[in-house]
Amino acid sequence: MESALVLVIGVMVAAGVYLMLASNLLCYLFGLILLSNAANLVIFVAGRLTRAVPPLIPKGQEAPLEPVANALPQAMILTAIVIGFGLLAFTLALVVACYRELGTIDSDHMRLAEPPPKRGEH
Amino acid sequence: MDTEVHSGDQPPTGWGERIWSLALLAFPLGVTLWLLSLIGPVREHAPLVFGVSWVPSLGVELNFLIDGLSLLFGLLVSGVGFFVALYAKFYLRGHPLIQRFFFYLFLFMLGMLGLVLAGNLITLFVFWEITTIASYLLIGFNHEKASARRSALQALLITAVGGLALLAGLLLLGMVVGSYNFVEVLAARDKVHSHALYLPILILVLIGAFTKSAQLPFHFWLPNAMAAPTPVSAYLHSATMVKAGIYLLARMYPVLGGSEAWLLTLNIVGAVTAVIAAILAMRQTDLKLALAYTTVVALGILIMFLGSEASVAIAAAITFILVHSFYKAALFMVVGIIDHQTGTREITALGGLGKRLPITFVIAAAAGFSMAGFPPFLGFIGKELKYEGALAIAEEPTFVAWAAVFANALMVAIAATVALRPFWGRLPEKLQSVREASPGLWISPLVMALLGLTFGLAPALIADTLVGPAVTATMGREESVSLKLWHGINLPLVMSITTFALGVLAFYLQPQIRAFLNWIAKWLPANSDTQWDRGLDLFKRGAALHTRHLQHGILKHYLAAVFAVASVLLLWGLMRSGGFDMAVNWERLTVKEWAAMALVFAGSLVAICTRTPLTAICSLGGMGVGIALIFLFFGAPDVAITQLLVETLFLVLIALTLHRLPHATEVSGTGFRFVDALLAVSVGTTVSLTILAVLQQPLISPTKEYFELAAVPEAFGRNIVNVILVDFRALDTFGEVVVVLVAAVGAAALLRRKLKPRVSLADTKKEQT
């Protein structure tokens, strides 16, 4: 049952990369969302899928009685989701600031730091 | 012509200058006396080793080794250094930057001493680089002049590139031997010679030595280095630094020497360098430049002699190192005096100075005779030995003997030109008022010239004390050397007489020879120096070109490069780890699971196809819900809740921001981008294949069991995921909080700035066209 999810991840990565390669920064941002979600799913699949119960320990027990889902990837994904949120929010703020300063959200037109070479110049 | 002359009204010397010059005099004097006191012990039980641990984890020590060879070079560095410092003190008196000069000279002296006394490969290299840097600073000392800066940079680049090659060679050598210590390295001859890396090591070490010692085709930096003040030329570019390459080869002789490659390379490179530099020297009219080229000749001869297995050739090389240091330092200082007193070094503008500068004349004559190899000077002994050595080598390649005779004949002519021509003939009108230099200037060259005479008359003084032990250390076996003035009538003497005859002839014909050489030079397409400029220019153009193509400033191309490289590396790793033999596992999914995956699938597709941002946001929302459902169905309810919350929060944020971006009503106006799509699909495929390959491996996760068993007894929690987050990996969670906080602070700072657009869209568009 992992294979179906792997296929979905591949589609997400491809869509994310395609969007990130656009010159529109909003598209870039959407691509980043797709890519970070895909990364979370990769971690999830790498810990193996199971329809088993969540990793909880019943009252009065020292350890889970039946096989439970792998808890470590879940903890990692939780961290990753939150950090991803921080990253995306900061990127969004950058896009807004870029627009305010440069008047465009087209990255092809943001050539202030590395201006295109003038003709006849090395 | 450059004149770093500061005679006339001299400002009073400051305290800093006095302290520096005193330190600079006391240091080499102390070292000289210390090394002289070691002559006995070294002869009795060489080598003496002492040092401290430096980088113990790498097996690197800061240790020093003193045997006959390092003792000889150490004495030259400190002894000649003392007299050069004394000379410089008077030569540059009143120069505004004299303290800086003394500091550079001190740094160089320290580096050079460390280099010749180093007890292991790493120490040797570190000091080698110090001499390179100090020499750069000294050549560029007259930094207002563009030519001085250029020469300094040229010397730095050439010797530093050689230094890098040397470093590689020394590290390989250390690896092969298993130790960086000279004691072990020098004893590992058989091991190194039979190793597959012998040839690479030899080539790298030779590049280091040839660049430092100005061998063809790296010779041109040395004459250019004459941009330095004359005391520097006398010291660095005759007596010491350029001999570092010679020292290196002599030091490496026991371990690297003796092979066919070694003998032939050294013979050919040395002979060619000596002959060509001798011809080039004949062209010069600047006394200092002529001397500089004869230095290249001398270095070539030394290299040539190190390419021999005969002990007499090595003895010749060692003796010639001494001879050359004395006469060349003396002659450079004499040229400095002439420059100082008359303001010119052009041979055509000088003449008849013998009456005006009698003491300088005597010194010049003594040094010149030693250089030309007249008896009873040390130069004569050196030359006889040279011919004996050349004949010993010449049993195989006869060109060595021819090269030695030819180069020496021209040396005789140059010696006469430099040491005699300025002093005889008619005194030009302009030079009528020239006076003899102060004793401070002529005492140092006088001592140098006297040493050449003393050791010539009493060669026994140095035969057993300095030359013998040095030859022993170089050859790696016990050798005794006898130096004599009179050997009887033999082949070397005949060669000597031939040399004199040729030399005198060349001296008388020098103007004609010079004119002839200049005529030839006109027809040559380019010399090494212009080639150097061309090469440097090409290098800069190349840098500009590749910067233009790699650092083009277009974000999406940078990203494309990153994705492409990542994907290629992943594929390469996959192929190396067993290819694409992976089972696909289509175990039945329930309807609701299919539905969740379909939601994610559809959300991603809509996001790339839509043109309006709002649709994209909605489709991404759908995708987020799908992912949350997947988490829920496969045993991760906590993750599902978080995913749902964060996803919703962020999409609301974007939606709220949209009204601030009025240009963003259309997101993909450019249409379908085929190349991007191809790259995107290949990255996606690579990622999928990689995960499939990962899933092929069995999951061995002791942590899973550990967390399950330890959650209750150790952390008193029943939700294992929560326990991991807040207990077992609490520090990670803390880091996560910090990241979010930093992002929040950054975003707030970005958004609070209320500035007018510095560059409008119209401006950037104008710039592009």
Side-chain angles (χ1 to χ4, degrees), chain B residues 83-339:
Chain B
F83 288 107
V84 166
L86 187 69
Y87 178 76
K89 183 172 147 56
F90 291 93
Y91 190 84
L92 288 176
R93 175 182 275 177
H95 192 289
L97 295 176
I98 192 160
Q99 289 183 44
R100 185 187 295 182
F101 178 83
F102 281 145
F103 171 71
Y104 292 163
L105 203 63
F106 186 76
L107 183 70
F108 172 77
M109 212 178 267
L110 211 64
M112 199 64 208
L113 270 176
L115 167 61
V116 297
L117 300 181
N120 68 57
L121 300 172
I122 304 295
T123 312
L124 179 120
F125 176 75
V126 169
F127 284 108
W128 178 282
E129 289 295 277
I130 291 178
T131 64
T132 300
I133 294 164
S135 130
Y136 166 72
L137 294 171
L138 283 168
I139 297 172
F141 181 65
N142 292 322
H143 57 267
E144 296 92 355
K145 270 193 262 162
S147 63
R149 295 198 300 270
R150 175 180 179 272
S151 302
L153 189 65
Q154 190 179 51
L156 178 73
L157 287 178
I158 293 179
T159 48
V161 166
L164 285 181
L166 176 67
L167 175 64
L170 294 182
L171 289 179
L172 285 180
L173 182 61
M175 268 166 50
V176 169
V177 177
S179 162
Y180 291 114
N181 262 324
F182 272 139
V183 178
E184 280 104 42
V185 169
L186 295 185
R189 181 195 159 92
D190 295 337
K191 196 172 169 186
V192 173
H193 270 260
S194 58
H195 200 280
L197 282 174
Y198 171 73
L199 209 58
I201 292 174
L202 182 65
I203 292 171
L204 290 167
V205 170
L206 286 185
I207 290 176
F210 288 171
T211 48
K212 197 85 160 179
S213 285
Q215 296 299 294
L216 238 64
F218 310 112
H219 63 289
F220 51 94
W221 72 263
L222 183 55
N224 285 343
M226 294 302 125
T230 299
V232 174
S233 309
Y235 190 36
L236 271 68
H237 307 121
S238 65
T240 59
M241 186 182 84
V242 290
K243 296 233 176 77
I246 310 292
Y247 170 77
L248 178 74
L249 292 186
R251 177 49 75 212
M252 291 293 161
Y253 187 93
V255 56
L256 291 179
S259 71
E260 194 84 344
W262 166 283
L263 297 178
L264 219 58
T265 314
L266 263 61
N267 279 335
I268 292 175
V269 171
V272 170
T273 303
V275 168
I276 290 187
I279 295 173
L280 288 174
M282 292 296 286
R283 263 186 76 189
Q284 308 306 321
T285 55
D286 182 340
L287 290 174
K288 206 169 159 186
L289 269 182
L291 280 181
Y293 275 105
T294 59
T295 303
V296 181
V297 177
L299 295 169
I301 291 175
L302 285 171
I303 295 274
M304 189 166 85
F305 280 112
L306 284 175
S308 166
E309 285 184 299
S311 62
V312 62
I314 303 299
I318 298 290
T319 315
F320 187 49
I321 288 170
L322 269 176
V323 176
H324 178 254
S325 297
F326 292 148
Y327 78 67
K328 193 51 74 65
L331 282 179
F332 263 114
M333 290 194 255
V334 163
V335 169
I337 294 176
I338 295 176
D339 193 7

Side-chain angles (χ1 to χ4, degrees), chain B residues 19 142 178 190 374 427 553 670 730:
Chain B
I19 292 171
N142 292 322
D190 295 337
F374 276 107
L427 190 68
T670 44

Side-chain angles (χ1 to χ4, degrees), chain A residues 3 48 51 57 74 100 111, chain B residues 552 585 593 635 697 753:
Chain A
S3 299
R48 300 300 187 275
R51 292 202 182 86
I57 302 167
Q74 294 191 22
R100 273 210 316 231
R111 305 300 297 272
Chain B
H552 38 61
N585 167 11
E593 286 160 4
Q697 312 296 322
R753 283 180 67 191

Side-chain angles (χ1 to χ4, degrees), chain A residues 7 38 45:
Chain A
L7 183 72
V45 174

Side-chain angles (χ1 to χ4, degrees), chain B residues 480-744:
Chain B
S480 69
V481 175
S482 68
L483 303 178
K484 278 181 289 188
L485 259 183
W486 180 246
H487 282 265
I489 296 171
N490 53 9
L491 193 52
L493 191 69
V494 176
M495 287 164 82
S496 277
I497 294 167
T498 319
T499 309
F500 288 137
L502 281 174
V504 172
L505 192 67
F507 173 65
Y508 277 107
L509 291 178
Q510 208 206 7
Q512 286 83 350
I513 295 176
R514 191 186 301 145
F516 176 68
L517 288 173
N518 284 334
W519 180 75
I520 292 181
K522 262 195 298 189
W523 296 97
L524 291 178
N527 59 23
S528 312
D529 211 28
T530 55
Q531 289 295 353
W532 163 263
D533 282 340
R534 228 172 268 173
L536 215 56
D537 198 43
L538 212 65
F539 190 71
K540 284 187 203 156
R541 274 163 194 264
L545 195 77
H546 97 252
T547 307
R548 193 159 72 240
H549 284 109
L550 289 181
Q551 307 270 316
H552 38 61
I554 299 170
L555 179 68
K556 57 188 184 194
H557 293 171
Y558 290 146
L559 274 174
V562 170
F563 284 130
V565 169
S567 146
V568 166
L569 284 182
L570 269 179
L571 276 179
W572 184 64
L574 269 181
M575 270 195 254
R576 276 182 54 117
S577 67
F580 302 98
D581 174 33
M582 46 200 66
V584 180
N585 167 11
W586 294 110
E587 198 188 316
R588 275 198 301 157
L589 292 171
T590 61
V591 178
K592 54 178 187 178
E593 286 160 4
W594 273 119
M597 289 189 194
L599 197 56
V600 178
F601 192 84
S604 313
L605 287 186
V606 173
I608 43 174
C609 295
T610 183
R611 286 173 157 262
T612 44
L614 261 180
T615 319
I617 291 172
C618 292
S619 64
L620 287 177
M623 178 208 69
V625 172
I627 292 175
L629 287 175
I630 292 173
F631 286 140
L632 190 65
F633 295 152
F634 294 102
D638 292 332
V639 184
I641 295 166
T642 315
Q643 165 78 20
L644 215 52
L645 271 174
V646 168
E647 191 76 22
T648 315
L649 185 61
F650 187 64
L651 292 177
V652 169
L653 269 184
I654 297 190
L656 286 177
T657 320
L658 271 185
H659 80 277
R660 287 168 178 261
L661 306 169
H663 280 285
T665 46
E666 286 230 334
V667 280
S668 53
T670 44
F672 182 65
R673 292 166 284 130
F674 181 72
V675 180
D676 292 357
L678 205 66
L679 180 60
V681 169
S682 56
V683 175
T685 315
T686 314
V687 171
S688 292
L689 288 175
T690 312
I691 307 171
L692 282 179
V694 169
L695 293 176
Q696 284 298 106
Q697 312 296 322
L699 178 73
I700 303 164
S701 176
T703 46
K704 180 178 189 290
E705 324 241 309
Y706 168 76
F707 286 132
E708 282 167 10
L709 292 178
V712 170
E714 287 186 23
F716 308 106
R718 302 193 171 277
N719 183 335
I720 303 175
V721 177
N722 285 1
V723 164
I724 293 175
L725 281 176
V726 300
D727 201 309
F728 291 117
R729 306 206 57 82
L731 214 57
D732 286 3
T733 310
F734 179 70
E736 166 198 332
V737 174
V738 172
V739 168
V740 174
L741 207 69
V742 169

